[in-house]
Amino acid sequence: MLLNVGTFIRSATRFSPFIITHSSPSSPSSFCFSFSPNQTVSFTLKSSQMASFTTLSQSPPKLLFRQLFEKESSTYTYLLADCSHPDKPALLIDPVDRTVDRDLNLVKELGLKLIYAMNTHVHADHVTGTGLIKGKVPGVKSIISKASGSRADVFVEPGDKISFGDLFLEVRATPGHTMGCVTYVTGDGPDQPQPRMAFTGDALLIRGCGRTDFQGGSSQQLYKSVHSQIFTLPKETLLYPAHDYKGFSVTTVGEEMLYNPRLTKDEETFKNIMENLNLAYPKMIDVAVPANMVCGLQDLEPKAN
């Protein structure tokens, strides 16, 4: 019996096999080998040849990851789940009220069990979706930093770990954009995703950073936060911000240490840059901040008699 046609991409200098296997006793298996530079070679395998390849198989990754976008505020929401755990526990980082239904439909389609809806800080440019999510999915707990002063089910502090299945996020305090900003970083260890991933909120953006002129912001504090809590991560760490306005989706610690036009400067220069941005007053701040201080449910608060 002949199996699927596979693909080899061959290099004269490096051989780095990566195999994706999907098989059953009655169905064939498919293979994808990755090399560089690219050269494609097709092949077929007989079932008798299978044994020589199965020793290269890798177990599937545990982390399911999706990056979602809300266009009105240019906000990224992140869905993470331990897909190898029987319950497939999942969490959402920085959900937006306008896209709650989209996010929950995706969770349902992927067969996940949402357990946490989290914020990196009290946002000023959109209303968080955490409160709406709690109302639609019983048992979900909202999470935010204790330093934020906001309402939530769980308050986290630096060094805390947020577990979902066998995976976890580490909490790092990164104040400066607001006094309660935190960065969530995937765990460090052989059973955790590699390279590591950091969800930086508005503290560090791709080739930029969050403003520091409201909500208890401080350019000096932000500079120290990024350099001590984010730039100390391995250079290959993937950085996922809460926003992007130029069409980018991800960066790395190494890239930002080289190319960030603000945070590559010395502290005094950075402070001068931030003090002279002359940014407009955030158009949503008067609605978003009060709402986000109560988990995005200000309209559902009981009215005083």
Side-chain angles (χ1 to χ4, degrees), residues 1-7 22 27-31 43-46:
M1 180 180 67
L2 292 179
L3 301 179
N4 292 38
V5 173
T7 303
H22 175 75
S27 65
S29 298
S30 60
F31 300 88
F43 69 95
T44 58
L45 293 178
K46 294 181 179 179

Side-chain angles (χ1 to χ4, degrees), residues 55-299:
T55 55
L56 295 176
S57 296
Q58 299 177 358
S59 59
K62 292 183 177 181
L63 178 67
L64 182 148
F65 171 71
R66 296 291 185 272
Q67 182 181 47
L68 307 167
F69 188 66
E70 194 282 308
K71 64 181 181 179
E72 295 298 323
S73 59
S74 298
T75 299
Y76 282 124
T77 296
Y78 299 98
L79 172 64
L80 288 76
D82 182 349
C83 61
S84 67
H85 190 277
D87 294 333
K88 295 187 177 180
L91 56 85
L92 283 165
I93 298 174
D94 288 335
V96 180
D97 61 345
R98 294 187 184 99
T99 47
V100 162
D101 288 339
R102 175 203 66 186
D103 299 348
L104 294 182
N105 284 338
L106 179 60
V107 168
K108 182 178 179 180
E109 288 173 354
L110 297 175
L112 308 177
K113 180 182 180 181
L114 188 65
I115 59 174
Y116 295 126
M118 308 160 53
N119 282 298
T120 53
H121 63 290
V122 174
H123 300 275
D125 52 11
H126 67 271
V127 175
T128 179
T130 53
L132 291 175
I133 290 170
K134 282 166 52 64
K136 292 174 178 283
V137 186
V140 172
K141 294 186 180 299
S142 57
I143 296 178
I144 201 167
S145 73
K146 185 177 181 180
S148 71
S150 179
R151 184 181 301 179
D153 297 311
V154 179
F155 298 106
V156 292
E157 298 184 85
D160 286 351
K161 293 182 178 179
I162 302 166
S163 296
F164 54 111
D166 296 321
L167 304 176
F168 69 89
L169 296 175
E170 169 196 335
V171 180
R172 294 193 174 203
T174 49
H177 170 61
T178 73
M179 60 186 179
C181 288
V182 294
T183 291
Y184 299 115
V185 186
T186 56
D188 188 16
D191 58 342
Q192 301 297 309
Q194 296 296 329
R196 299 179 76 180
M197 307 161 73
F199 302 90
T200 58
D202 287 14
L204 180 63
L205 306 179
I206 299 172
R207 308 298 192 265
C209 63
R211 61 194 294 175
T212 58
D213 58 335
F214 61 87
Q215 288 182 273
S218 164
S219 57
Q220 182 180 23
Q221 196 172 41
L222 180 58
Y223 188 89
K224 291 179 177 178
S225 292
V226 172
H227 280 265
S228 67
Q229 299 299 315
I230 299 176
F231 283 177
T232 54
L233 290 164
K235 291 184 179 181
E236 66 272 17
T237 302
L238 300 170
L239 302 180
Y240 292 96
H243 303 281
D244 188 81
Y245 310 97
K246 298 180 180 179
F248 295 108
S249 59
V250 63
T251 183
T252 66
V253 168
E255 281 185 45
E256 295 308 311
M257 290 177 70
L258 287 173
Y259 304 122
N260 191 292
R262 299 176 184 175
L263 288 154
T264 51
K265 304 294 191 289
D266 61 76
E267 186 175 336
E268 190 60 33
T269 303
F270 175 76
K271 181 180 177 181
N272 290 333
I273 291 172
M274 300 306 292
E275 288 177 350
N276 291 283
L277 292 177
N278 298 316
L279 297 173
Y281 187 74
K283 63 181 180 179
M284 280 287 294
I285 189 170
D286 293 329
V287 174
V289 171
N292 293 335
M293 291 296 290
V294 290
C295 209
L297 292 178
Q298 84 285 9
D299 292 335

